[in-house]
Amino acid sequence: MKPLPIQNSWVLVTGASTGLGRASALRLAASYQAKPLIVGRRLDNLRELQSEIGERFNVPCEIIVADQREIEGREKIAAKVIELKVNAAFLAAGLTSAGPFDASRADAYAEVIGTNVAGFTDLLARLIAIFRQQPFESSIIAVSSLAGETSVPFQAVYGASKAYVSTLMRALSVELAGTGVSVGSFAPGGIDTDMAALSDLKWGKFGLMDVDRCATLAVDALVHRRSFAIPGMGNRLTYLASRALPRSLMSRLAALPYRRPQ
Ligand SMILES: NC(=O)c1ccc[n+]([C@@H]2O[C@H](COP(=O)([O-])OP(=O)(O)OC[C@H]3O[C@@H](n4cnc5c(N)ncnc54)[C@H](OP(=O)(O)O)[C@@H]3O)[C@@H](O)[C@H]2O)c1
């Protein structure tokens, strides 16, 4: 498939206030002069990113403060996507809940599922409907995770939410073939971001991918309209192992980086 022309176009980036979303908005502006429409709940972070994009790349950038769990937030995003004639979307908003599966964490699980699954699905459906009406081609990449391929003990609800994202995007990439709307998922292993810092990893930053490198590969997946992309050789080998080895063994291996409860 031909790369999507995104030079000087508006590109929606959710989860842009930190981490992979932030780094991808910068990469889009730096490499393509694409104009990021950045979304998150933390206005200060988004304002700082907007200034950086303007100062470093002289590229316009617009902000939406929205909670992906709330219908009002998703409506705000959809309205702006129509107004600006956005033709690509990088959906990085997501959160985790680390620790043993336990009823005391029910609120955290509701937040993970509300953001990564329910809110994500509704936003995606709105974006696809908008993009299908537009007279030009478009691309959507949702950030899933290797955690969705292997399952992850001690981040089990998060891993299950990412398996949902991967499975959904795989199915939709087939459903939407020939419509001009390409969709896919991007499945990193650990990335050196706030989320990894919150994941209670035994080995600190060991094995985590640099966020700017990951963002470069993520933007490449968006532009080249990949239906599924895994950044980095180590992650691709892990993925291949997850297809070849018994799933129970992969789940036990996936638990190794996590501190176990005493
Ligand atoms: N870090 C890793 O090791 C890793 C590995 C594989 C996949 N991923 C995935 O990569 C994506 C980016 O994560 P990251 O590592 O960059 O972590 P991060 O720095 O914590 O970024 C998460 C982003 O999601 C936004 N977000 C969270 N809940 C939201 C909500 N309810 N509504 C709107 N925005 C919300 C946050 O912004 P606000 O708080 O301002 O709303 C933040 O910008 C996530 O989907 C994550 O699952 C991460």
Side-chain angles (χ1 to χ4, degrees), residues 15 17-20 41-42 67-68 92 94 144 158 162 189 191 193:
S17 48
T18 50
L20 182 60
R41 293 166 300 177
R42 284 169 284 177
D67 188 326
Q68 184 162 294
S144 60
Y158 170 75
K162 291 298 176 176
I191 321 165
T193 64

Side-chain angles (χ1 to χ4, degrees), residues 29 31 83 85 89 170 185 197 229 248:
S31 297
E83 182 194 320
K85 300 186 172 56
R170 248 186 224 119
S185 62
S248 55

Side-chain angles (χ1 to χ4, degrees), residues 175-199:
E175 267 190 45
L176 293 170
T179 64
V181 183
S182 312
V183 300
S185 62
F186 179 74
I191 321 165
D192 186 6
T193 64
D194 293 353
M195 182 180 283
L198 290 172
S199 298

Side-chain angles (χ1 to χ4, degrees), residues 37 81 84 133 135 142 191 245:
L37 169 58
V81 163
L84 296 179
Q133 295 291 318
I191 321 165
L245 296 174

Side-chain angles (χ1 to χ4, degrees), residues 57-175:
F57 311 115
N58 195 25
V59 164
C61 169
E62 287 215 18
I63 290 175
I64 303 177
V65 175
D67 188 326
Q68 184 162 294
R69 285 173 305 169
E70 307 291 339
I71 188 155
E72 295 79 13
R74 301 189 299 266
E75 283 172 349
K76 249 202 287 186
I77 298 169
K80 202 72 184 171
V81 163
I82 295 171
E83 182 194 320
L84 296 179
K85 300 186 172 56
V86 167
N87 76 335
F90 182 68
L91 305 179
L95 80 166
T96 190
S97 167
F101 187 67
D102 189 88
S104 64
R105 295 175 197 265
D107 289 349
Y109 302 149
E111 201 180 341
V112 171
I113 293 165
T115 305
N116 300 6
V117 177
F120 162 74
T121 305
D122 179 65
L123 177 62
L124 178 68
R126 287 167 192 268
L127 292 175
I128 290 172
I130 295 166
F131 285 176
R132 288 191 72 164
Q133 295 291 318
Q134 293 182 151
F136 39 82
E137 296 192 341
S138 49
S139 169
I140 302 175
I141 287 286
V143 182
S144 60
S145 170
L146 275 190
E149 308 299 324
T150 61
S151 82
V152 256
F154 306 111
Q155 251 187 127
V157 174
Y158 170 75
S161 77
K162 291 298 176 176
Y164 174 88
V165 173
S166 293
T167 307
L168 179 70
M169 298 311 279
R170 248 186 224 119
L172 297 184
S173 72
V174 175
E175 267 190 45

